[in-house]
Amino acid sequence: MNGKKLVAYFSASGVTADVARKIADAAGADLYEIRPAKPYTAADLDWTDKKSRSTLEMNDAACRPEIAGDVGDMEQYDAIWLGFPIWWYVEPRIIDTFLESYDFSGKKMIPFATSGGSGIRRAEQSLKAHCPAADWQEGRLLNGADVKSWVNELL
């Protein structure tokens, strides 16, 4: 994998952030945290509450939470690892905001996720639907996996 690399991630609890840092270290990539303009509280993330912010967002396919800050010069990156926790079997809506904020045409996109029990396949389908011009690679669920070995396989 030639060219400049970026690891962009959203992490609600720190688990995905830890994996993202390991990927960035192993790949020699820049790191960018996809942070919501309005940070999530514990109550916002209570998936058992049908009125919590995360539940309301995930039940609205058109919802696009605002992101605080931007990547800057996205054009410089050839490969982007995109990380997130699995919410309701897919990526959180803030990831959709991110995908719609830049032109990823022809860029190699490598999704990775963390989850307490869901797989990544439905999220991969959703990502491709939201951003069809990207060169999507097979994603990986990284719950305690050997991140360095996976990154080395891709490089």
Side-chain angles (χ1 to χ4, degrees):
M1 189 179 303
N2 297 322
K4 196 153 170 98
K5 299 173 269 309
L6 175 70
V7 176
Y9 71 94
F10 165 69
S11 186
S13 66
V15 174
T16 306
D18 183 52
V19 173
R21 284 189 291 274
K22 290 176 183 175
I23 291 172
D25 287 345
D30 292 342
L31 194 60
Y32 170 74
E33 181 180 5
I34 301 167
R35 292 182 301 107
K38 179 184 174 195
Y40 289 97
T41 66
D44 290 337
L45 297 171
D46 182 0
W47 61 273
T48 64
D49 178 357
K50 295 196 183 315
K51 294 184 180 185
S52 74
R53 177 176 162 199
S54 59
T55 300
L56 294 173
E57 287 177 0
M58 294 308 292
N59 284 329
D60 178 2
C63 181
R64 296 295 180 269
E66 185 180 350
I67 294 173
D70 60 14
V71 172
D73 184 15
M74 181 61 84
E75 296 78 30
Q76 70 181 313
Y77 297 106
D78 300 306
I80 300 154
W81 275 269
L82 181 60
F84 49 88
I86 299 289
W87 286 7
W88 287 257
Y89 305 102
V90 294
E91 74 283 0
R93 300 290 181 220
I94 196 165
I95 295 296
D96 300 335
T97 305
F98 178 77
L99 290 175
E100 294 170 5
S101 297
Y102 302 96
D103 180 7
F104 293 104
S105 299
K107 292 189 185 290
K108 188 171 289 203
M109 301 289 285
I110 308 134
F112 68 94
T114 56
S115 173
S118 301
I120 194 172
R121 297 301 163 234
R122 283 181 60 186
E124 286 181 300
Q125 293 168 350
S126 177
L127 295 169
K128 289 175 186 176
H130 280 91
C131 189
D135 177 15
W136 288 100
Q137 306 297 299
E138 184 176 344
R140 181 82 52 103
L141 191 63
L142 296 172
N143 291 338
D146 184 355
V147 171
K148 189 172 184 174
S149 293
W150 179 59
V151 170
N152 287 336
E153 287 173 24
L154 296 170
L155 296 176

